[in-house]
PDB file of all heavy atoms in Angstrom:
ATOM      1  N   ARG A 203      13.937 -14.474  -0.380  1.00 92.00           N
ATOM      2  CA  ARG A 203      13.595 -13.261   0.355  1.00 92.00           C
ATOM      3  C   ARG A 203      13.379 -12.057  -0.552  1.00 92.00           C
ATOM      4  O   ARG A 203      12.450 -11.261  -0.350  1.00 92.00           O
ATOM      5  CB  ARG A 203      14.708 -12.948   1.382  1.00 92.00           C
ATOM      6  CG  ARG A 203      14.313 -11.895   2.408  1.00 92.00           C
ATOM      7  CD  ARG A 203      15.493 -11.432   3.213  1.00 92.00           C
ATOM      8  NE  ARG A 203      16.434 -10.670   2.393  1.00 92.00           N
ATOM      9  CZ  ARG A 203      16.263  -9.397   2.053  1.00 92.00           C
ATOM     10  NH1 ARG A 203      15.180  -8.749   2.436  1.00 92.00           N
ATOM     11  NH2 ARG A 203      17.162  -8.768   1.324  1.00 92.00           N
ATOM     12  N   ILE A 204      14.209 -11.896  -1.571  1.00 92.00           N
ATOM     13  CA  ILE A 204      14.124 -10.695  -2.409  1.00 92.00           C
ATOM     14  C   ILE A 204      12.817 -10.647  -3.215  1.00 92.00           C
ATOM     15  O   ILE A 204      12.123  -9.609  -3.210  1.00 92.00           O
ATOM     16  CB  ILE A 204      15.364 -10.580  -3.315  1.00 92.00           C
ATOM     17  CG1 ILE A 204      16.600 -10.283  -2.443  1.00 92.00           C
ATOM     18  CG2 ILE A 204      15.177  -9.492  -4.377  1.00 92.00           C
ATOM     19  CD1 ILE A 204      17.907 -10.247  -3.217  1.00 92.00           C
ATOM     20  N   PRO A 205      12.412 -11.736  -3.920  1.00 93.00           N
ATOM     21  CA  PRO A 205      11.099 -11.691  -4.580  1.00 93.00           C
ATOM     22  C   PRO A 205       9.955 -11.461  -3.599  1.00 93.00           C
ATOM     23  O   PRO A 205       8.966 -10.794  -3.931  1.00 93.00           O
ATOM     24  CB  PRO A 205      10.997 -13.076  -5.241  1.00 93.00           C
ATOM     25  CG  PRO A 205      12.395 -13.514  -5.422  1.00 93.00           C
ATOM     26  CD  PRO A 205      13.142 -12.970  -4.244  1.00 93.00           C
ATOM     27  N   SER A 206      10.102 -11.998  -2.390  1.00 91.00           N
ATOM     28  CA  SER A 206       9.068 -11.802  -1.376  1.00 91.00           C
ATOM     29  C   SER A 206       8.974 -10.335  -0.970  1.00 91.00           C
ATOM     30  O   SER A 206       7.877  -9.805  -0.739  1.00 91.00           O
ATOM     31  CB  SER A 206       9.372 -12.669  -0.152  1.00 91.00           C
ATOM     32  OG  SER A 206       8.345 -12.552   0.807  1.00 91.00           O
ATOM     33  N   ALA A 207      10.128  -9.650  -0.893  1.00 92.00           N
ATOM     34  CA  ALA A 207      10.131  -8.217  -0.564  1.00 92.00           C
ATOM     35  C   ALA A 207       9.390  -7.424  -1.634  1.00 92.00           C
ATOM     36  O   ALA A 207       8.651  -6.474  -1.332  1.00 92.00           O
ATOM     37  CB  ALA A 207      11.570  -7.716  -0.435  1.00 92.00           C
ATOM     38  N   ILE A 208       9.573  -7.805  -2.875  1.00 92.00           N
ATOM     39  CA  ILE A 208       8.883  -7.117  -3.971  1.00 92.00           C
ATOM     40  C   ILE A 208       7.377  -7.325  -3.866  1.00 92.00           C
ATOM     41  O   ILE A 208       6.581  -6.390  -4.058  1.00 92.00           O
ATOM     42  CB  ILE A 208       9.416  -7.611  -5.335  1.00 92.00           C
ATOM     43  CG1 ILE A 208      10.901  -7.232  -5.473  1.00 92.00           C
ATOM     44  CG2 ILE A 208       8.603  -7.030  -6.481  1.00 92.00           C
ATOM     45  CD1 ILE A 208      11.578  -7.836  -6.692  1.00 92.00           C
ATOM     46  N   LEU A 209       6.950  -8.540  -3.528  1.00 90.00           N
ATOM     47  CA  LEU A 209       5.523  -8.829  -3.399  1.00 90.00           C
ATOM     48  C   LEU A 209       4.874  -8.010  -2.296  1.00 90.00           C
ATOM     49  O   LEU A 209       3.790  -7.449  -2.475  1.00 90.00           O
ATOM     50  CB  LEU A 209       5.317 -10.322  -3.122  1.00 90.00           C
ATOM     51  CG  LEU A 209       5.419 -11.270  -4.315  1.00 90.00           C
ATOM     52  CD1 LEU A 209       5.268 -12.718  -3.859  1.00 90.00           C
ATOM     53  CD2 LEU A 209       4.358 -10.940  -5.358  1.00 90.00           C
ATOM     54  N   ILE A 210       5.533  -7.931  -1.141  1.00 89.00           N
ATOM     55  CA  ILE A 210       4.961  -7.159  -0.040  1.00 89.00           C
ATOM     56  C   ILE A 210       4.936  -5.675  -0.394  1.00 89.00           C
ATOM     57  O   ILE A 210       4.023  -4.941  -0.016  1.00 89.00           O
ATOM     58  CB  ILE A 210       5.727  -7.397   1.281  1.00 89.00           C
ATOM     59  CG1 ILE A 210       4.983  -6.760   2.465  1.00 89.00           C
ATOM     60  CG2 ILE A 210       7.137  -6.850   1.231  1.00 89.00           C
ATOM     61  CD1 ILE A 210       3.668  -7.402   2.777  1.00 89.00           C
ATOM     62  N   GLY A 211       5.916  -5.215  -1.172  1.00 89.00           N
ATOM     63  CA  GLY A 211       5.906  -3.827  -1.631  1.00 89.00           C
ATOM     64  C   GLY A 211       4.734  -3.534  -2.538  1.00 89.00           C
ATOM     65  O   GLY A 211       4.093  -2.474  -2.448  1.00 89.00           O
ATOM     66  N   VAL A 212       4.413  -4.466  -3.415  1.00 90.00           N
ATOM     67  CA  VAL A 212       3.265  -4.303  -4.317  1.00 90.00           C
ATOM     68  C   VAL A 212       1.967  -4.255  -3.521  1.00 90.00           C
ATOM     69  O   VAL A 212       1.074  -3.427  -3.788  1.00 90.00           O
ATOM     70  CB  VAL A 212       3.225  -5.450  -5.350  1.00 90.00           C
ATOM     71  CG1 VAL A 212       1.920  -5.423  -6.140  1.00 90.00           C
ATOM     72  CG2 VAL A 212       4.412  -5.350  -6.299  1.00 90.00           C
ATOM     73  N   LEU A 213       1.844  -5.142  -2.511  1.00 87.00           N
ATOM     74  CA  LEU A 213       0.645  -5.152  -1.667  1.00 87.00           C
ATOM     75  C   LEU A 213       0.477  -3.830  -0.939  1.00 87.00           C
ATOM     76  O   LEU A 213      -0.614  -3.245  -0.920  1.00 87.00           O
ATOM     77  CB  LEU A 213       0.738  -6.304  -0.658  1.00 87.00           C
ATOM     78  CG  LEU A 213      -0.416  -6.408   0.355  1.00 87.00           C
ATOM     79  CD1 LEU A 213      -1.705  -6.783  -0.355  1.00 87.00           C
ATOM     80  CD2 LEU A 213      -0.085  -7.441   1.431  1.00 87.00           C
ATOM     81  N   GLY A 214       1.558  -3.338  -0.335  1.00 86.00           N
ATOM     82  CA  GLY A 214       1.489  -2.066   0.381  1.00 86.00           C
ATOM     83  C   GLY A 214       1.154  -0.900  -0.532  1.00 86.00           C
ATOM     84  O   GLY A 214       0.399   0.005  -0.158  1.00 86.00           O
ATOM     85  N   THR A 215       1.704  -0.917  -1.736  1.00 89.00           N
ATOM     86  CA  THR A 215       1.415   0.149  -2.712  1.00 89.00           C
ATOM     87  C   THR A 215      -0.062   0.157  -3.073  1.00 89.00           C
ATOM     88  O   THR A 215      -0.692   1.224  -3.168  1.00 89.00           O
ATOM     89  CB  THR A 215       2.268  -0.034  -3.978  1.00 89.00           C
ATOM     90  OG1 THR A 215       3.652  -0.036  -3.618  1.00 89.00           O
ATOM     91  CG2 THR A 215       2.017   1.093  -4.965  1.00 89.00           C
ATOM     92  N   ALA A 216      -0.639  -1.024  -3.267  1.00 87.00           N
ATOM     93  CA  ALA A 216      -2.059  -1.118  -3.612  1.00 87.00           C
ATOM     94  C   ALA A 216      -2.929  -0.569  -2.486  1.00 87.00           C
ATOM     95  O   ALA A 216      -3.876   0.199  -2.724  1.00 87.00           O
ATOM     96  CB  ALA A 216      -2.424  -2.574  -3.909  1.00 87.00           C
ATOM     97  N   PHE A 217      -2.620  -0.941  -1.243  1.00 82.00           N
ATOM     98  CA  PHE A 217      -3.363  -0.413  -0.102  1.00 82.00           C
ATOM     99  C   PHE A 217      -3.248   1.108  -0.026  1.00 82.00           C
ATOM    100  O   PHE A 217      -4.221   1.815   0.241  1.00 82.00           O
ATOM    101  CB  PHE A 217      -2.831  -1.022   1.204  1.00 82.00           C
ATOM    102  CG  PHE A 217      -3.275  -2.434   1.460  1.00 82.00           C
ATOM    103  CD1 PHE A 217      -2.550  -3.255   2.306  1.00 82.00           C
ATOM    104  CD2 PHE A 217      -4.418  -2.937   0.875  1.00 82.00           C
ATOM    105  CE1 PHE A 217      -2.952  -4.560   2.554  1.00 82.00           C
ATOM    106  CE2 PHE A 217      -4.834  -4.236   1.111  1.00 82.00           C
ATOM    107  CZ  PHE A 217      -4.100  -5.053   1.950  1.00 82.00           C
ATOM    108  N   THR A 218      -2.043   1.617  -0.268  1.00 83.00           N
ATOM    109  CA  THR A 218      -1.793   3.061  -0.177  1.00 83.00           C
ATOM    110  C   THR A 218      -2.604   3.824  -1.212  1.00 83.00           C
ATOM    111  O   THR A 218      -3.245   4.837  -0.899  1.00 83.00           O
ATOM    112  CB  THR A 218      -0.299   3.368  -0.369  1.00 83.00           C
ATOM    113  OG1 THR A 218       0.466   2.630   0.582  1.00 83.00           O
ATOM    114  CG2 THR A 218      -0.025   4.855  -0.170  1.00 83.00           C
ATOM    115  N   LEU A 219      -2.569   3.352  -2.446  1.00 84.00           N
ATOM    116  CA  LEU A 219      -3.317   4.023  -3.512  1.00 84.00           C
ATOM    117  C   LEU A 219      -4.812   4.032  -3.208  1.00 84.00           C
ATOM    118  O   LEU A 219      -5.505   5.025  -3.465  1.00 84.00           O
ATOM    119  CB  LEU A 219      -3.050   3.337  -4.850  1.00 84.00           C
ATOM    120  CG  LEU A 219      -1.637   3.524  -5.420  1.00 84.00           C
ATOM    121  CD1 LEU A 219      -1.441   2.680  -6.668  1.00 84.00           C
ATOM    122  CD2 LEU A 219      -1.373   5.002  -5.735  1.00 84.00           C
ATOM    123  N   PHE A 220      -5.307   2.946  -2.626  1.00 80.00           N
ATOM    124  CA  PHE A 220      -6.721   2.905  -2.250  1.00 80.00           C
ATOM    125  C   PHE A 220      -7.033   3.968  -1.202  1.00 80.00           C
ATOM    126  O   PHE A 220      -8.031   4.695  -1.289  1.00 80.00           O
ATOM    127  CB  PHE A 220      -7.088   1.520  -1.721  1.00 80.00           C
ATOM    128  CG  PHE A 220      -8.462   1.451  -1.116  1.00 80.00           C
ATOM    129  CD1 PHE A 220      -9.598   1.406  -1.916  1.00 80.00           C
ATOM    130  CD2 PHE A 220      -8.634   1.460   0.277  1.00 80.00           C
ATOM    131  CE1 PHE A 220     -10.867   1.359  -1.353  1.00 80.00           C
ATOM    132  CE2 PHE A 220      -9.896   1.413   0.843  1.00 80.00           C
ATOM    133  CZ  PHE A 220     -11.018   1.362   0.024  1.00 80.00           C
ATOM    134  N   LEU A 221      -6.171   4.077  -0.184  1.00 75.00           N
ATOM    135  CA  LEU A 221      -6.405   5.026   0.900  1.00 75.00           C
ATOM    136  C   LEU A 221      -6.320   6.473   0.439  1.00 75.00           C
ATOM    137  O   LEU A 221      -7.161   7.304   0.801  1.00 75.00           O
ATOM    138  CB  LEU A 221      -5.418   4.776   2.042  1.00 75.00           C
ATOM    139  CG  LEU A 221      -5.676   3.554   2.921  1.00 75.00           C
ATOM    140  CD1 LEU A 221      -4.521   3.336   3.877  1.00 75.00           C
ATOM    141  CD2 LEU A 221      -6.980   3.703   3.694  1.00 75.00           C
ATOM    142  N   VAL A 222      -5.298   6.804  -0.347  1.00 74.00           N
ATOM    143  CA  VAL A 222      -5.116   8.198  -0.735  1.00 74.00           C
ATOM    144  C   VAL A 222      -6.211   8.655  -1.699  1.00 74.00           C
ATOM    145  O   VAL A 222      -6.470   9.856  -1.830  1.00 74.00           O
ATOM    146  CB  VAL A 222      -3.725   8.439  -1.365  1.00 74.00           C
ATOM    147  CG1 VAL A 222      -2.628   8.155  -0.357  1.00 74.00           C
ATOM    148  CG2 VAL A 222      -3.520   7.634  -2.638  1.00 74.00           C
ATOM    149  N   MET A 223      -6.849   7.717  -2.358  1.00 74.00           N
ATOM    150  CA  MET A 223      -7.925   8.084  -3.280  1.00 74.00           C
ATOM    151  C   MET A 223      -9.285   8.174  -2.597  1.00 74.00           C
ATOM    152  O   MET A 223     -10.228   8.717  -3.163  1.00 74.00           O
ATOM    153  CB  MET A 223      -8.022   7.055  -4.419  1.00 74.00           C
ATOM    154  CG  MET A 223      -6.788   6.947  -5.270  1.00 74.00           C
ATOM    155  SD  MET A 223      -6.357   8.512  -6.075  1.00 74.00           S
ATOM    156  CE  MET A 223      -4.805   8.048  -6.859  1.00 74.00           C
ATOM    157  N   SER A 224      -9.384   7.625  -1.375  1.00 68.00           N
ATOM    158  CA  SER A 224     -10.712   7.500  -0.781  1.00 68.00           C
ATOM    159  C   SER A 224     -10.877   8.190   0.567  1.00 68.00           C
ATOM    160  O   SER A 224     -11.971   8.189   1.125  1.00 68.00           O
ATOM    161  CB  SER A 224     -11.051   6.013  -0.602  1.00 68.00           C
ATOM    162  OG  SER A 224     -10.102   5.373   0.230  1.00 68.00           O
ATOM    163  N   THR A 225      -9.807   8.780   1.122  1.00 61.00           N
ATOM    164  CA  THR A 225      -9.915   9.372   2.441  1.00 61.00           C
ATOM    165  C   THR A 225      -8.905  10.490   2.603  1.00 61.00           C
ATOM    166  O   THR A 225      -8.138  10.771   1.684  1.00 61.00           O
ATOM    167  CB  THR A 225      -9.693   8.287   3.525  1.00 61.00           C
ATOM    168  OG1 THR A 225      -9.944   8.854   4.812  1.00 61.00           O
ATOM    169  CG2 THR A 225      -8.270   7.747   3.480  1.00 61.00           C
ATOM    170  N   ASN A 226      -8.904  11.146   3.761  1.00 60.00           N
ATOM    171  CA  ASN A 226      -7.882  12.149   4.047  1.00 60.00           C
ATOM    172  C   ASN A 226      -6.868  11.567   5.029  1.00 60.00           C
ATOM    173  O   ASN A 226      -7.029  10.457   5.528  1.00 60.00           O
ATOM    174  CB  ASN A 226      -8.503  13.446   4.598  1.00 60.00           C
ATOM    175  CG  ASN A 226      -9.287  13.230   5.890  1.00 60.00           C
ATOM    176  OD1 ASN A 226      -8.863  12.485   6.774  1.00 60.00           O
ATOM    177  ND2 ASN A 226     -10.436  13.886   6.003  1.00 60.00           N
ATOM    178  N   LEU A 227      -5.835  12.334   5.331  1.00 58.00           N
ATOM    179  CA  LEU A 227      -4.723  11.813   6.113  1.00 58.00           C
ATOM    180  C   LEU A 227      -5.139  11.408   7.525  1.00 58.00           C
ATOM    181  O   LEU A 227      -4.830  10.299   7.977  1.00 58.00           O
ATOM    182  CB  LEU A 227      -3.604  12.852   6.171  1.00 58.00           C
ATOM    183  CG  LEU A 227      -2.350  12.459   6.965  1.00 58.00           C
ATOM    184  CD1 LEU A 227      -1.737  11.182   6.418  1.00 58.00           C
ATOM    185  CD2 LEU A 227      -1.333  13.591   6.950  1.00 58.00           C
ATOM    186  N   ILE A 228      -5.846  12.266   8.231  1.00 60.00           N
ATOM    187  CA  ILE A 228      -6.169  11.977   9.630  1.00 60.00           C
ATOM    188  C   ILE A 228      -7.107  10.787   9.744  1.00 60.00           C
ATOM    189  O   ILE A 228      -6.958   9.930  10.625  1.00 60.00           O
ATOM    190  CB  ILE A 228      -6.768  13.225  10.329  1.00 60.00           C
ATOM    191  CG1 ILE A 228      -6.899  12.987  11.832  1.00 60.00           C
ATOM    192  CG2 ILE A 228      -8.097  13.605   9.701  1.00 60.00           C
ATOM    193  CD1 ILE A 228      -5.595  12.847  12.547  1.00 60.00           C
ATOM    194  N   ASP A 229      -8.092  10.684   8.828  1.00 64.00           N
ATOM    195  CA  ASP A 229      -9.002   9.542   8.862  1.00 64.00           C
ATOM    196  C   ASP A 229      -8.264   8.241   8.560  1.00 64.00           C
ATOM    197  O   ASP A 229      -8.502   7.203   9.197  1.00 64.00           O
ATOM    198  CB  ASP A 229     -10.134   9.728   7.848  1.00 64.00           C
ATOM    199  CG  ASP A 229     -11.157  10.754   8.302  1.00 64.00           C
ATOM    200  OD1 ASP A 229     -11.146  11.091   9.505  1.00 64.00           O
ATOM    201  OD2 ASP A 229     -11.947  11.224   7.471  1.00 64.00           O
TER     202      ASP A 229
END
């Protein structure tokens, strides 16, 4: 479970960085 939690955290971080670099908050 713990390594899996780290993997999902990395995935979410990647999605977040993509969004904050390409759009605004409301969009």
Side-chain angles (χ1 to χ4, degrees):
R203 193 191 68 79
I204 292 176
S206 183
I208 296 172
L209 281 177
I210 189 67
V212 171
L213 177 67
T215 302
F217 283 158
T218 304
L219 290 174
F220 171 77
L221 285 172
V222 297
M223 299 300 175
S224 59
T225 186
N226 59 41
L227 180 58
I228 189 66
D229 286 344

